[in-house]
Amino acid sequence: MTEYLHIYHEADISSLVTERENERKFWQSLTFLDTNSATLQALKDAAAFGIKYVLIGVNEDIGPRANCGQGGATLGWQAFLQRFLNLPCNQFLDPKNVLLLGEIICDDLQTASADLCNTHPDQLVQLRDLCAEIDQRVNDILTLIFSAGLEPIIIGGGHNNCFGILQALYKVSGKSCNAINFDPHADFRAIEGRHSGNGFHYAYQRNMLNDYHVVGLHEQKNNKAIIDGLHKAQFTYTSYQDILVTRRATLTQAITTGLKRFNDDKPLGIEVDVDSISGMPVSAFTNCGFSTNDAEHFVSLSAEQRSVAYLHLCEAAPANHPQGLAQGMIEAGQVLSGLVCSYLSSRARVEQ
C-alpha cells in the first residue's frame, strides 16, 4: 500500500530551506514520519503525539491532459514547499502539529504518458487509463492517513485527484461525503474514462459523494450536460457571474449558502482549483476569476466547519506562467502557502 509513497526525511528538503539568526522557520517546526515502524502505525503514533495535519504532494499532469487540456501541473507541490517551508513561525501560526509526509509517486506514469497526445483518440484512452492508476495510488495513501485519524492537505496535480481522496474518505468513514469546491468548473463531465473534469461525477455515481456545492462556477465554462447533471443530482452552485458580474450575492453569502447545505454527521472536503484565481499559473489560465484574497477567504470560512476532513489544492502549473518557470514557482508558491496558512489558522480556531 506504501509502494508508491516517497516518505520525506530532512535530506529531501535541505536544498529548499534557509536559516536565519533568531528566527524559527516552518520547516524547523514540522514533523517527519518515523520510518522505523510500519507506515499506518507510524501515522497513528504521530496522531497520538499531537499531530493533526499531514502535508502530501502529488506531482502529475495526466488528469488535465486526459481532459483534453494542457499539462504543467507537476510542479505545484515543489513551488509550495519552497515558499511554505521558509515562512517564519510566530504568534499567529506555528505548524508544530503538522507532519510533512512526502509525495505520492507518479514519475513512472508521467514517463509512460510523455509521448501521448490527447488529440489522438487511442492515446486519449491511454491517458485516461493512466489517470485511473493515479486514482488507485491516491486512494491507497489517503486511506492510511484517514485511518490514522489525521487531516490531509493534498497539494499538486490535477483536479482528477479529488476522486481518489473521496474514495479513501468514504472507505474509512463509512459515509458518503460532502464537498465544497471553489472552481469555475463543476468537474461533473460525462462518465467517459477518468480525467480532471469528472472526478465529482464519478464519486457521485459510486455513492461516495452525498452533497456538493460549487462556488464561482463560470456560466461559459460548463456545458449543458454538466449543469443538467448537477441539477439531476440536486447539487448546487453560485456562479462567478452572480458574485462578480451581477453582484446578486457576495462571496461570503455564496460560501455560506453551500456550507448550510451540509450535515455535520458527514465528512466535508474543501476543494480549491486554483484556476479560479485570476492570473494564476495553472493548467487553464484565466483573467476572469477571483483574487488570491477571495480564495483565502473561501478556505478560511469553509475550514471553520467541524466536519472538515481535508483540504485539496490542485491545478497549479508554475511552468505555464507567461514570464517563465522561475516567476511561476514564486507566485504559485505564495498562493498555495497562503491557502494552507488560512486553513491551518481556521482549524486552530475550531480546536479552541
Side-chain angles (χ1 to χ4, degrees):
M1 208 169 187
T2 59
E3 178 184 0
Y4 295 108
L5 174 63
H6 175 197
I7 298 173
Y8 279 7
H9 302 277
E10 283 199 40
D12 290 290
I13 64 168
S14 61
S15 64
L16 304 176
V17 300
T18 60
E19 294 187 54
R20 186 166 184 167
E21 189 176 356
N22 299 320
E23 182 172 288
R24 184 172 180 82
K25 295 181 182 289
F26 277 12
W27 70 270
Q28 294 167 309
S29 273
L30 293 170
T31 298
F32 294 89
L33 194 69
D34 180 3
T35 54
N36 292 318
S37 301
T39 301
L40 178 57
Q41 186 57 53
L43 287 167
K44 290 180 176 179
D45 290 344
F49 281 103
I51 294 297
K52 296 183 181 295
Y53 310 101
V54 176
L55 292 169
I56 180 76
V58 189
N59 301 318
E60 62 86 23
D61 65 1
I62 294 170
R65 291 162 56 211
N67 190 25
C68 302
Q70 295 186 63
T74 53
L75 292 174
W77 171 244
Q78 284 79 8
F80 163 75
L81 289 177
Q82 288 180 16
R83 178 69 176 179
F84 184 79
L85 295 175
N86 291 299
L87 293 174
C89 301
N90 57 26
Q91 299 91 329
F92 301 106
L93 188 60
D94 184 342
K96 56 189 175 183
N97 59 357
V98 179
L99 171 73
L100 178 57
L101 179 57
E103 62 189 71
I104 297 170
I105 297 170
C106 299
D107 293 354
D108 57 321
L109 302 180
Q110 281 292 129
T111 299
S113 77
D115 296 325
L116 297 178
C117 178
N118 57 18
T119 62
H120 293 113
D122 291 345
Q123 295 182 31
L124 182 61
V125 170
Q126 293 178 62
L127 282 169
R128 292 176 175 178
D129 289 343
L130 290 171
C131 184
E133 292 189 45
I134 297 172
D135 288 343
Q136 188 58 55
R137 296 184 188 188
V138 171
N139 173 33
D140 288 346
I141 303 308
L142 269 293
T143 295
L144 295 174
I145 297 171
F146 288 130
S147 295
L150 297 165
E151 283 184 31
I153 299 170
I154 308 101
I155 299 171
H159 217 157
N160 45 291
N161 295 309
C162 71
F163 177 69
I165 299 166
L166 289 167
Q167 187 177 28
L169 183 56
Y170 172 74
K171 182 195 307 183
V172 173
S173 69
K175 300 177 181 180
S176 55
C177 311
N178 298 325
I180 188 165
N181 183 19
F182 194 60
D183 196 338
H185 310 97
D187 293 341
F188 219 74
R189 285 187 177 276
I191 304 297
E192 58 188 2
R194 286 288 298 115
H195 57 66
S196 65
N198 60 17
F200 294 105
H201 200 172
Y202 267 81
Y204 170 66
Q205 184 202 45
R206 301 189 184 185
N207 299 315
M208 300 170 186
L209 185 62
N210 173 67
D211 204 354
Y212 178 49
H213 182 76
V214 186
V215 175
L217 178 143
H218 199 290
E219 294 173 5
Q220 278 75 60
K221 295 183 179 180
N222 295 268
N223 63 36
K224 185 177 185 299
I226 292 170
I227 304 301
D228 287 346
L230 289 175
H231 288 159
K232 185 176 180 180
Q234 298 184 352
F235 295 155
T236 56
Y237 59 86
T238 309
S239 73
Y240 161 87
Q241 282 75 10
D242 283 341
I243 301 167
L244 290 182
V245 180
T246 65
R247 311 280 173 155
R248 291 173 183 158
T250 67
L251 178 59
T252 300
Q253 288 169 340
I255 300 164
T256 303
T257 295
L259 294 173
K260 284 181 177 178
R261 292 179 57 86
F262 305 137
N263 297 325
D264 286 342
D265 64 339
K266 293 184 181 293
L268 173 63
I270 301 175
E271 298 273 349
V272 179
D273 186 327
V274 295
D275 69 13
S276 58
I277 300 171
S278 287
M280 181 75 180
V282 290
S283 302
F285 182 85
T286 185
N287 277 320
C288 301
F290 294 88
S291 69
T292 300
N293 308 125
D294 290 333
E296 290 174 329
H297 179 57
F298 170 83
V299 170
S300 179
L301 192 56
S302 300
E304 292 177 353
Q305 308 304 299
R306 293 193 175 275
S307 56
V308 167
Y310 70 83
L311 172 68
H312 180 207
L313 308 177
C314 59
E315 299 281 349
N320 292 350
H321 194 286
Q323 295 180 29
L325 175 60
Q327 188 63 27
M329 293 291 283
I330 292 170
E331 294 188 23
Q334 288 178 340
V335 172
L336 293 168
S337 295
L339 294 171
V340 172
C341 289
S342 295
Y343 181 81
L344 294 173
S345 295
S346 275
R347 299 305 287 156
R349 291 194 295 273
V350 172
E351 294 166 14
Q352 292 174 354

